[in-house]
Amino acid sequence: MPSVNPPHSLKLLFVSTPVGPLGSGLGGGVELTLRNIATELQRRGHHLTILAPEGSDLGDLPIAQIPGELQPTAQTQGRQTPVTLSAHSVLANLWEVARSRQSEFDLICNFAYDWLPFYLTPFFQRPIAHLVSMGSLSDVMDEIIERVAIAFPGSIGVHSRAQAATFSFGDRCRCLFNGFDFGAYEFCETPDHTLAWVGRISPEKGLEDAVAASQKSGIPLKIFGYLQDKDYWHEIRETYPDAAIAYCGFLETKQLQRELGRSRALLVTPRWVEAFGNVVVEALACGVPAIAYRRGGPAEIVSDGETGWLVEPDSVEGLVEAISQLDRLDRRTCRDRAEGQFSVSAMGDRMEKWFYDLLGA
Ligand code: HBI
């Protein structure tokens, strides 16, 4: 598709999450989100610059590599954890460059779930759109995001209504869902006899329930994703020594979708309110129905009985019952329905409108 010039093309600065180089898997869903949005907006004729930690790689997207110490991940901190910033912090370096270069751009989009970019917003001469990647995690983050939501109406973007609802100021958040390049996902009509689970292997993702359901249903489980918490993983292996499970590593999209597409269903077992659930759309794009706890973003992606089954949260029995009903779902419907709502062009429309609204404000 030729890149077309929109009514007026924008000069956009995207500032990455500081928890890891883009493309490493450390940045979780934000890596794919940033890549997809940047690629789609560039295709539409906007001019993109991306600031990201050294070692980032997003193919041919224009990245300025910023050095410095990575930021500890927010979801491993507690509600009262104070803000931390190490010496030579990559977060501080990212936002020093953003400050010094801001006049080159119409608008800045922040992808970090960190205190600093929100605190700095009123000191910038350019509007900052904040795409918040997770639900409420700490008091200090809630407070600073709310301060920006009030002072800069419409500048807080989230991925789902469930994520917005975790904040006391949820009604001030703009729901953008997410977007995926469906051309990068091959539809698989005939699966093999396996289930799949995809995500950072960490307690908030509830992998143990998927392992238990796999064992009870007698269908092997393939596990994909960054092995973040090794103790957690060993505990699961010790608890379910006879489970037919295979850890398949962290695969980048092209390889992941090839493996994922061959499974009969994706099990989605979050313990926390997942802001969105990128992997759910990735599975649907391959024709793989999703069996998900009725909790957080995945519950707004899965159409119960059409593109998967929604299950009572934390109910392994519920997962097992849904697995037994998989044959009632149509794999082609899974892809077609998801494409209409969550393609990169649907997301590009939402992002473009968000940016134009902020610039018009
Ligand atoms: N933690 N401090 C911090 N900053 C982030 O931007 C961040 C994070 N943890 C996870 C994360 N981003 C991404 O994995 C999101 O996709 C959830």
Side-chain angles (χ1 to χ4, degrees):
M1 289 261 282
S3 71
V4 290
N5 269 325
H8 44 285
S9 65
L10 299 175
K11 293 187 285 299
L12 300 168
L13 178 65
F14 282 10
V15 187
S16 156
T17 171
V19 294
L22 295 178
S24 68
L26 273 166
V30 161
E31 293 187 19
L32 194 59
T33 301
L34 191 154
R35 174 201 283 269
N36 289 339
I37 296 170
T39 305
E40 174 60 14
L41 293 180
Q42 198 171 48
R43 190 190 66 77
R44 292 172 181 229
H46 299 292
H47 305 284
L48 262 294
T49 300
I50 300 166
L51 303 184
E54 227 158 31
S56 292
D57 171 14
L58 286 182
D60 53 7
L61 282 170
I63 292 189
Q65 310 269 342
I66 307 295
E69 287 296 305
L70 298 176
Q71 192 69 14
T73 57
Q75 73 273 22
T76 53
Q77 328 243 323
R79 287 218 63 87
Q80 268 65 41
T81 307
V83 174
T84 54
L85 207 64
S86 56
H88 317 297
S89 153
V90 69
L91 180 64
N93 294 343
L94 283 163
W95 284 91
E96 170 47 34
V97 173
R99 184 202 58 74
S100 63
R101 294 188 56 183
Q102 61 181 307
S103 59
E104 299 169 35
F105 305 98
D106 298 308
L107 179 139
I108 299 168
C109 188
N110 167 43
F111 288 80
Y113 192 99
D114 290 279
W115 182 82
L116 186 64
F118 292 92
Y119 180 74
L120 291 176
T121 300
F123 299 103
F124 271 68
Q125 285 74 47
R126 287 289 183 280
I128 302 179
H130 295 278
L131 185 48
V132 176
S133 61
M134 296 182 278
S136 168
L137 284 181
S138 68
D139 296 348
V140 72
M141 279 304 292
D142 284 9
E143 180 193 334
I144 198 69
I145 298 173
E146 181 172 25
R147 196 184 299 178
V148 172
I150 293 169
F152 302 91
S155 67
I156 304 297
V158 293
H159 291 297
S160 69
R161 286 181 289 273
Q163 180 197 354
T166 65
F167 297 108
S168 59
F169 51 88
D171 55 334
R172 296 175 184 272
C173 300
R174 183 170 180 139
C175 186
L176 297 156
F177 298 108
N178 212 338
F180 300 79
D181 170 10
F182 276 63
Y185 299 85
E186 294 156 54
F187 176 71
C188 171
E189 179 71 57
T190 315
D192 58 21
H193 189 62
T194 58
L195 296 166
W197 187 93
V198 185
R200 272 179 303 104
I201 298 181
S202 180
E204 74 271 12
K205 298 282 191 175
L207 174 55
E208 64 274 20
D209 287 6
V211 172
S214 152
Q215 184 162 337
K216 285 177 188 286
S217 60
I219 305 177
L221 177 70
K222 285 187 174 177
I223 298 161
F224 304 91
Y226 178 69
L227 214 178
Q228 184 158 342
D229 186 328
K230 289 183 174 46
D231 297 339
Y232 172 61
W233 172 238
H234 290 310
E235 193 185 317
I236 290 172
R237 301 294 303 277
E238 277 157 23
T239 311
Y240 301 96
D242 308 326
I245 60 176
Y247 175 55
C248 307
F250 170 77
L251 306 181
E252 46 78 36
T253 305
K254 188 155 186 54
Q255 221 189 336
L256 172 69
Q257 61 87 31
R258 198 179 303 123
E259 296 291 323
L260 182 55
R262 302 210 319 251
S263 46
R264 290 193 58 205
L266 174 74
L267 301 185
V268 188
T269 56
R271 287 275 184 263
W272 66 338
V273 174
E274 193 81 47
F276 186 70
N278 288 347
V279 295
V280 180
V281 179
E282 294 185 286
L284 295 174
C286 299
V288 179
I291 293 174
Y293 286 154
R294 194 186 296 275
R295 173 184 279 152
E300 295 172 46
I301 298 170
V302 176
S303 168
D304 196 26
E306 198 175 27
T307 60
W309 298 111
L310 291 176
V311 166
E312 173 65 28
D314 308 322
S315 162
V316 171
E317 286 316 312
L319 295 175
V320 174
E321 168 57 21
I323 290 167
S324 74
Q325 301 298 318
L326 277 173
D327 293 341
R328 292 170 51 196
L329 300 167
D330 174 68
R331 291 172 72 90
R332 171 54 71 180
T333 303
C334 290
R335 178 175 169 108
D336 293 347
R337 284 269 311 189
E339 188 160 18
Q341 296 173 279
F342 306 118
S343 64
V344 280
S345 62
M347 183 63 171
D349 292 344
R350 294 191 286 266
M351 291 300 288
E352 226 174 33
K353 184 150 182 5
W354 185 29
F355 291 167
Y356 287 147
D357 288 351
L358 284 179
L359 287 166

